Amino acid sequence: MKIDSYRRVGSIEEAYELLTEKSGAAIIGGGAWLKLMPKTIDTAIDLSDLGLDKVTGLENEYEIGCMVKLRQLEKFTPFQMIFDGILIQSAGSIMGVTVRNIATAGGTVAGKYGFSDLLPVLLAMDAEVELYKRGRLKLEQFMDETGVLKDILTRIYIRKTEGRGWFYTMKNTAIDFPILNAAITSSQKGCRIVIGARPYKAALAKKAMQFIDRIEKPGEVEIIEAANIAAGELKFGSNQRGSSDYRRELCITFVKRGLRKVLL
Amino acid sequence: MKIKIKINGTIKTINVKADEYLVDTLRNNGCVSVRRGCDTTSCGICTVLLDGAPVASCSYLSCRADSHEVTTVEGIQEEAALIADFFGHEGADQCGYCNPSMALTLYAMKRELKNPDDDEIRAYLVGNLCRCSGYVAQHRAIRAYLEVE
């Protein structure tokens, strides 16, 4: 990876102008995974000076600036009260402290990385993102969009929702990328089942969610059925960490465990 | 581009490339205790303190360190010597390649965590690998170091 020039901008508008005037310009987030990018960046745009490095508690939600470090998320104790603290669990499971002090929430979300442990949890929490020009939209919608992002992800929003949550990431070692991860939540709005590191980007198991939400009092039989539906509807791939078949089997196990935790 | 950076208490103005990483800038400016390991944020060998927090300098752009304070083992020599004593006493030291990064991470941990339990210590050090000594003797040394006022 090569960077031709570096700009620490003084305003979000300046960042947007730089981003849109050159095809090779890119927002660099925390920069922890820059080396994984094969391309050349003409202008690396750094948002460090824009005050986007804070978590703010609002009336009904939390606002997470895009430059908030994963370590900050992990140490923000009010998140312990939302969905059994799965956001803290996921942020704290990513590599070591030396990386979590670099990698940012915005960089992870905007990158839509398949290996992300954070994205499944944010999807399961039904988070929203704010883009500088487009405004707020559901993270789910943002994740479904393809192509190069010519906008700037400025903030992430999490509602103060009461509910149960479960997160698990399976790795060969603590500092490796996950073989598969899963985040499952249950609230008044229903269940959300998300599987990540398939190794594709995290996705909702919508058929499994619809199935389990239709049942008034789901038990073990329905949970097993939902797990099988999830494994059947999602696409899994193979890489050096695991085969698609292995990941599908893990998915069944994870969904069963998660649903038992949040429903029974 | 030029950056102004405080390295171990001394402010320096340094010319860096846009894609230069902090590990190289520091080594080029006399901090040879900062070592390159995996170069992919996995091993923790390149750890330095940025404004007191441990970061992997192999993945931190030097441009970003502009106006920040960086500490390497050269900047905490007394504390590093103390940590080395505990490691030596417990037989937790072999090739020594990971020692500077371990010392810096422990230094930061002692200031960040209050009375950490064994699990918290292990979790904090998960990104700092040692490939020769194993971790049991190190853990004893760390516990002893943390008990020093």
Side-chain angles (χ1 to χ4, degrees):
Chain A
M1 196 278 309
K2 189 174 179 305
I3 299 172
D4 288 338
S5 69
Y6 169 93
R7 285 282 291 276
R8 191 185 284 200
V9 294
S11 72
I12 199 77
E13 182 59 31
E14 183 187 353
Y16 183 75
E17 283 173 12
L18 281 170
L19 181 68
T20 49
E21 78 186 15
K22 279 187 182 176
S23 62
I27 307 288
I28 55 170
W33 317 123
L34 274 178
K35 285 182 179 172
L36 300 179
M37 300 166 91
K39 64 179 183 182
T40 295
I41 297 174
D42 289 339
T43 307
I45 303 163
D46 184 352
L47 309 178
S48 293
D49 290 344
L50 304 185
L52 293 166
D53 57 351
K54 296 175 187 70
V55 182
T56 310
L58 305 174
E59 190 180 351
N60 298 315
E61 61 189 355
Y62 288 103
E63 179 188 278
I64 301 167
C66 63
M67 295 303 284
V68 166
K69 308 279 192 304
L70 300 182
R71 182 75 175 147
Q72 284 174 264
L73 290 182
E74 178 191 354
K75 292 173 74 175
F76 191 74
T77 50
F79 287 150
Q80 204 65 257
M81 306 303 291
I82 306 175
F83 292 120
D84 297 317
I86 55 174
L87 188 58
I88 288 176
Q89 290 166 37
S90 73
S93 72
I94 297 165
M95 309 291 280
V97 169
T98 57
V99 177
R100 300 201 294 275
N101 276 326
I102 299 175
T104 59
T108 304
V109 173
K112 301 181 185 176
Y113 298 117
F115 56 75
S116 172
D117 278 321
L118 197 64
L119 277 169
V121 165
L122 290 172
L123 277 169
M125 296 171 94
D126 201 13
E128 293 183 15
V129 295
E130 180 187 78
L131 302 180
Y132 174 55
K133 285 294 174 186
R134 285 177 62 192
R136 280 176 72 156
L137 65 155
K138 293 266 188 193
L139 173 62
E140 189 181 331
Q141 182 189 340
F142 176 73
M143 290 292 289
D144 284 342
E145 293 176 355
T146 54
V148 179
L149 178 65
K150 279 294 173 186
D151 203 337
I152 301 170
L153 192 153
T154 50
R155 294 175 182 85
I156 300 160
Y157 293 91
I158 296 167
R159 274 191 301 280
K160 296 177 180 175
T161 309
E162 282 189 23
R164 302 298 311 274
W166 181 87
F167 167 74
Y168 189 75
T169 180
M170 183 162 168
K171 299 174 180 179
N172 285 323
T173 72
I175 52 169
D176 197 7
F177 290 141
I179 300 168
L180 196 80
N181 57 27
I184 298 175
T185 58
S186 168
S187 68
Q188 277 192 331
K189 286 186 172 178
C191 267
R192 290 177 71 85
I193 301 169
V194 187
I195 307 294
R198 300 174 291 119
Y200 316 114
K201 63 186 179 184
L204 292 152
K206 290 181 182 174
K207 288 178 184 170
M209 286 159 51
Q210 285 164 4
F211 170 79
I212 207 76
D213 281 345
R214 278 202 301 267
I215 308 212
E216 195 175 336
K217 281 192 178 173
E220 185 65 16
V221 173
E222 290 80 14
I223 284 173
I224 292 169
E225 180 63 20
N228 286 318
I229 293 170
E233 70 176 295
L234 293 172
K235 184 183 167 193
F236 298 90
S238 302
N239 61 9
Q240 72 270 35
R241 291 183 178 80
S243 67
S244 57
D245 288 344
Y246 181 51
R247 286 189 160 99
R248 192 170 290 107
E249 289 302 317
L250 286 179
C251 172
I252 293 170
T253 302
F254 289 2
V255 174
K256 281 194 284 192
R257 286 182 188 173
L259 286 176
R260 282 180 195 133
K261 171 79 189 300
V262 302
L263 293 176
L264 300 183
Chain B
M1 67 178 283
K2 273 189 180 163
I3 61 168
K4 196 178 273 189
I5 179 171
K6 195 184 221 181
I7 303 175
N8 297 323
T10 305
I11 296 174
K12 294 189 174 184
T13 303
I14 304 170
N15 264 318
V16 297
K17 294 177 192 160
D19 50 6
E20 184 172 321
Y21 283 95
L22 195 51
V23 60
D24 298 311
T25 305
L26 291 169
R27 288 187 64 82
N28 291 340
N29 283 273
C31 298
V32 290
S33 71
V34 185
R35 292 160 182 177
R36 186 185 299 283
C38 67
D39 215 24
T40 57
T41 69
S42 297
C43 72
I45 295 296
C46 63
T47 299
V48 299
L49 304 184
L50 188 92
D51 300 330
V55 300
S57 63
C58 76
S59 296
Y60 196 89
L61 287 173
S62 300
C63 300
R64 293 208 122 152
D66 187 26
S67 308
H68 289 279
E69 183 171 357
V70 175
T71 306
T72 69
V73 155
E74 287 88 344
I76 58 157
Q77 288 195 11
E78 275 185 31
E79 195 90 357
L82 179 66
I83 292 167
D85 281 347
F86 281 110
F87 271 56
H89 184 73
E90 293 293 346
D93 196 16
Q94 284 188 29
C95 83
Y97 200 71
C98 68
N99 282 7
S101 62
M102 284 282 182
L104 285 164
T105 309
L106 289 180
Y107 180 86
M109 179 171 69
K110 191 169 183 176
R111 280 147 188 83
E112 187 177 338
L113 305 182
K114 301 294 171 209
N115 303 316
D117 60 26
D118 288 347
D119 287 341
E120 287 171 315
I121 292 170
R122 290 190 191 101
Y124 202 92
L125 289 167
V126 81
N128 287 79
L129 301 186
C130 169
R131 296 288 81 169
C132 46
S133 71
Y135 299 100
V136 176
Q138 285 187 354
H139 196 83
R140 286 198 305 268
I142 292 162
R143 284 245 64 109
Y145 164 66
L146 292 176
E147 282 163 17
V148 176
E149 288 297 325

Short mmCIF file of all heavy atoms in Angstrom, two decimals, chain B residues 14-46:
data_model
loop_
_atom_site.label_atom_id
_atom_site.label_comp_id
_atom_site.label_asym_id
_atom_site.label_seq_id
_atom_site.Cartn_x
_atom_site.Cartn_y
_atom_site.Cartn_z
N ILE B 14 10.61 16.53 12.32
CA ILE B 14 11.12 15.44 11.48
C ILE B 14 10.40 15.44 10.14
O ILE B 14 9.19 15.64 10.07
CB ILE B 14 10.88 14.07 12.17
CG1 ILE B 14 11.52 14.05 13.57
CG2 ILE B 14 11.42 12.92 11.33
CD1 ILE B 14 11.11 12.84 14.40
N ASN B 15 11.15 15.19 9.08
CA ASN B 15 10.56 15.01 7.76
C ASN B 15 10.14 13.55 7.59
O ASN B 15 10.97 12.65 7.78
CB ASN B 15 11.58 15.35 6.67
CG ASN B 15 11.41 16.78 6.20
OD1 ASN B 15 10.29 17.26 6.02
ND2 ASN B 15 12.52 17.47 6.04
N VAL B 16 8.87 13.33 7.27
CA VAL B 16 8.42 11.95 7.06
C VAL B 16 7.67 11.84 5.74
O VAL B 16 7.13 12.83 5.23
CB VAL B 16 7.49 11.46 8.21
CG1 VAL B 16 8.23 11.42 9.53
CG2 VAL B 16 6.25 12.32 8.31
N LYS B 17 7.65 10.63 5.20
CA LYS B 17 6.85 10.38 3.99
C LYS B 17 5.39 10.18 4.39
O LYS B 17 5.12 9.79 5.53
CB LYS B 17 7.36 9.12 3.28
CG LYS B 17 8.76 9.24 2.73
CD LYS B 17 9.15 7.89 2.12
CE LYS B 17 10.62 7.85 1.80
NZ LYS B 17 11.12 6.48 1.67
N ALA B 18 4.49 10.36 3.44
CA ALA B 18 3.06 10.23 3.73
C ALA B 18 2.70 8.82 4.19
O ALA B 18 1.77 8.62 4.97
CB ALA B 18 2.24 10.61 2.51
N ASP B 19 3.43 7.83 3.68
CA ASP B 19 3.10 6.44 4.06
C ASP B 19 4.17 5.83 4.97
O ASP B 19 4.35 4.61 4.99
CB ASP B 19 2.86 5.58 2.82
CG ASP B 19 3.98 5.69 1.80
OD1 ASP B 19 4.99 6.35 2.10
OD2 ASP B 19 3.82 5.14 0.70
N GLU B 20 4.84 6.67 5.70
CA GLU B 20 5.86 6.16 6.63
C GLU B 20 5.20 5.79 7.96
O GLU B 20 4.34 6.51 8.45
CB GLU B 20 6.92 7.25 6.85
CG GLU B 20 8.08 6.80 7.72
CD GLU B 20 9.20 7.86 7.74
OE1 GLU B 20 9.48 8.46 6.69
OE2 GLU B 20 9.76 8.08 8.83
N TYR B 21 5.62 4.68 8.50
CA TYR B 21 5.05 4.25 9.78
C TYR B 21 5.96 4.64 10.94
O TYR B 21 7.18 4.80 10.78
CB TYR B 21 4.77 2.75 9.76
CG TYR B 21 3.53 2.42 8.97
CD1 TYR B 21 3.60 2.05 7.63
CD2 TYR B 21 2.27 2.53 9.55
CE1 TYR B 21 2.46 1.79 6.89
CE2 TYR B 21 1.12 2.27 8.81
CZ TYR B 21 1.22 1.89 7.49
OH TYR B 21 0.07 1.66 6.77
N LEU B 22 5.35 4.78 12.09
CA LEU B 22 6.05 5.30 13.27
C LEU B 22 7.26 4.45 13.66
O LEU B 22 8.27 4.98 14.12
CB LEU B 22 5.05 5.38 14.44
CG LEU B 22 5.41 6.21 15.65
CD1 LEU B 22 5.86 7.62 15.29
CD2 LEU B 22 4.24 6.27 16.63
N VAL B 23 7.16 3.14 13.45
CA VAL B 23 8.30 2.27 13.79
C VAL B 23 9.55 2.71 13.05
O VAL B 23 10.65 2.76 13.63
CB VAL B 23 7.97 0.78 13.52
CG1 VAL B 23 7.63 0.51 12.07
CG2 VAL B 23 9.10 -0.13 13.95
N ASP B 24 9.41 3.09 11.78
CA ASP B 24 10.57 3.50 10.99
C ASP B 24 11.07 4.88 11.41
O ASP B 24 12.28 5.10 11.53
CB ASP B 24 10.21 3.49 9.49
CG ASP B 24 9.82 2.10 9.03
OD1 ASP B 24 10.58 1.16 9.31
OD2 ASP B 24 8.76 1.95 8.42
N THR B 25 10.13 5.78 11.64
CA THR B 25 10.52 7.14 12.05
C THR B 25 11.30 7.09 13.36
O THR B 25 12.32 7.76 13.52
CB THR B 25 9.26 8.01 12.22
OG1 THR B 25 8.51 7.97 11.00
CG2 THR B 25 9.62 9.45 12.55
N LEU B 26 10.82 6.30 14.29
CA LEU B 26 11.49 6.23 15.59
C LEU B 26 12.86 5.58 15.47
O LEU B 26 13.84 6.07 16.03
CB LEU B 26 10.61 5.45 16.59
CG LEU B 26 9.32 6.18 17.00
CD1 LEU B 26 8.40 5.25 17.78
CD2 LEU B 26 9.64 7.41 17.83
N ARG B 27 12.95 4.50 14.72
CA ARG B 27 14.25 3.83 14.55
C ARG B 27 15.24 4.74 13.82
O ARG B 27 16.43 4.79 14.17
CB ARG B 27 14.09 2.51 13.79
CG ARG B 27 13.43 1.40 14.62
CD ARG B 27 13.43 0.07 13.90
NE ARG B 27 14.78 -0.43 13.66
CZ ARG B 27 15.51 -1.10 14.57
NH1 ARG B 27 15.01 -1.33 15.77
NH2 ARG B 27 16.71 -1.52 14.27
N ASN B 28 14.73 5.51 12.85
CA ASN B 28 15.61 6.43 12.12
C ASN B 28 16.07 7.62 12.99
O ASN B 28 16.96 8.37 12.60
CB ASN B 28 14.90 6.98 10.88
CG ASN B 28 14.69 5.91 9.84
OD1 ASN B 28 15.36 4.88 9.86
ND2 ASN B 28 13.73 6.12 8.96
N ASN B 29 15.39 7.76 14.14
CA ASN B 29 15.75 8.88 15.01
C ASN B 29 16.29 8.39 16.35
O ASN B 29 16.11 9.02 17.39
CB ASN B 29 14.54 9.79 15.22
CG ASN B 29 14.32 10.68 14.00
OD1 ASN B 29 14.90 11.76 13.89
ND2 ASN B 29 13.51 10.21 13.06
N GLY B 30 16.95 7.26 16.30
CA GLY B 30 17.73 6.81 17.45
C GLY B 30 17.04 5.89 18.43
O GLY B 30 17.67 5.40 19.37
N CYS B 31 15.74 5.65 18.25
CA CYS B 31 15.03 4.78 19.20
C CYS B 31 15.06 3.34 18.69
O CYS B 31 14.04 2.80 18.21
CB CYS B 31 13.59 5.26 19.38
SG CYS B 31 13.47 6.90 20.06
N VAL B 32 16.22 2.71 18.79
CA VAL B 32 16.36 1.37 18.21
C VAL B 32 15.79 0.27 19.12
O VAL B 32 15.81 -0.91 18.75
CB VAL B 32 17.84 1.07 17.85
CG1 VAL B 32 18.27 1.91 16.68
CG2 VAL B 32 18.75 1.30 19.05
N SER B 33 15.28 0.66 20.29
CA SER B 33 14.59 -0.34 21.11
C SER B 33 13.26 -0.73 20.47
O SER B 33 12.69 -1.78 20.78
CB SER B 33 14.31 0.22 22.52
OG SER B 33 13.31 1.21 22.45
N VAL B 34 12.74 0.13 19.57
CA VAL B 34 11.47 -0.16 18.89
C VAL B 34 11.79 -1.13 17.75
O VAL B 34 12.54 -0.79 16.84
CB VAL B 34 10.82 1.13 18.33
CG1 VAL B 34 9.46 0.81 17.75
CG2 VAL B 34 10.71 2.17 19.42
N ARG B 35 11.22 -2.31 17.83
CA ARG B 35 11.59 -3.37 16.88
C ARG B 35 10.44 -3.74 15.96
O ARG B 35 9.28 -3.65 16.33
CB ARG B 35 12.04 -4.61 17.66
CG ARG B 35 13.33 -4.36 18.39
CD ARG B 35 13.57 -5.32 19.51
NE ARG B 35 14.81 -4.97 20.19
CZ ARG B 35 15.26 -5.60 21.26
NH1 ARG B 35 14.57 -6.60 21.78
NH2 ARG B 35 16.38 -5.22 21.82
N ARG B 36 10.84 -4.17 14.79
CA ARG B 36 9.84 -4.63 13.83
C ARG B 36 9.66 -6.14 13.99
O ARG B 36 10.64 -6.88 14.02
CB ARG B 36 10.33 -4.34 12.41
CG ARG B 36 9.32 -4.65 11.33
CD ARG B 36 9.93 -4.46 9.96
NE ARG B 36 10.35 -3.09 9.73
CZ ARG B 36 9.52 -2.09 9.45
NH1 ARG B 36 8.22 -2.30 9.37
NH2 ARG B 36 9.98 -0.87 9.26
N GLY B 37 8.43 -6.56 14.12
CA GLY B 37 8.15 -7.99 14.25
C GLY B 37 7.36 -8.47 13.06
O GLY B 37 7.87 -8.58 11.95
N CYS B 38 6.07 -8.70 13.27
CA CYS B 38 5.22 -9.25 12.21
C CYS B 38 4.89 -8.22 11.14
O CYS B 38 4.60 -8.55 10.01
CB CYS B 38 3.93 -9.78 12.81
SG CYS B 38 2.88 -8.47 13.48
N ASP B 39 4.87 -6.93 11.54
CA ASP B 39 4.52 -5.83 10.63
C ASP B 39 3.04 -5.83 10.25
O ASP B 39 2.65 -5.16 9.29
CB ASP B 39 5.40 -5.88 9.37
CG ASP B 39 5.73 -4.47 8.86
OD1 ASP B 39 5.68 -3.52 9.67
OD2 ASP B 39 6.03 -4.34 7.67
N THR B 40 2.22 -6.61 10.95
CA THR B 40 0.79 -6.66 10.63
C THR B 40 -0.08 -6.54 11.88
O THR B 40 -1.18 -7.09 11.93
CB THR B 40 0.42 -7.98 9.92
OG1 THR B 40 0.82 -9.07 10.76
CG2 THR B 40 1.08 -8.11 8.58
N THR B 41 0.40 -5.88 12.91
CA THR B 41 -0.33 -5.62 14.16
C THR B 41 -0.60 -6.86 15.01
O THR B 41 -1.40 -6.81 15.95
CB THR B 41 -1.69 -4.92 13.95
OG1 THR B 41 -2.59 -5.82 13.30
CG2 THR B 41 -1.57 -3.65 13.15
N SER B 42 0.04 -7.97 14.70
CA SER B 42 -0.31 -9.19 15.43
C SER B 42 0.57 -9.46 16.65
O SER B 42 0.11 -10.05 17.62
CB SER B 42 -0.19 -10.41 14.50
OG SER B 42 -1.11 -10.29 13.46
N CYS B 43 1.85 -9.07 16.60
CA CYS B 43 2.78 -9.57 17.63
C CYS B 43 3.04 -8.58 18.77
O CYS B 43 3.47 -8.99 19.86
CB CYS B 43 4.10 -9.98 17.00
SG CYS B 43 5.12 -8.60 16.44
N GLY B 44 2.85 -7.30 18.53
CA GLY B 44 3.05 -6.32 19.60
C GLY B 44 4.49 -5.92 19.85
O GLY B 44 4.77 -5.09 20.71
N ILE B 45 5.43 -6.48 19.09
CA ILE B 45 6.86 -6.19 19.31
C ILE B 45 7.16 -4.70 19.12
O ILE B 45 8.06 -4.15 19.76
CB ILE B 45 7.72 -7.03 18.33
CG1 ILE B 45 7.58 -8.52 18.61
CG2 ILE B 45 9.19 -6.61 18.34
CD1 ILE B 45 8.09 -8.97 19.96
N CYS B 46 6.43 -4.05 18.23
CA CYS B 46 6.72 -2.65 17.88
C CYS B 46 6.01 -1.65 18.80
O CYS B 46 5.96 -0.46 18.50
CB CYS B 46 6.28 -2.40 16.45
SG CYS B 46 4.50 -2.61 16.24
#
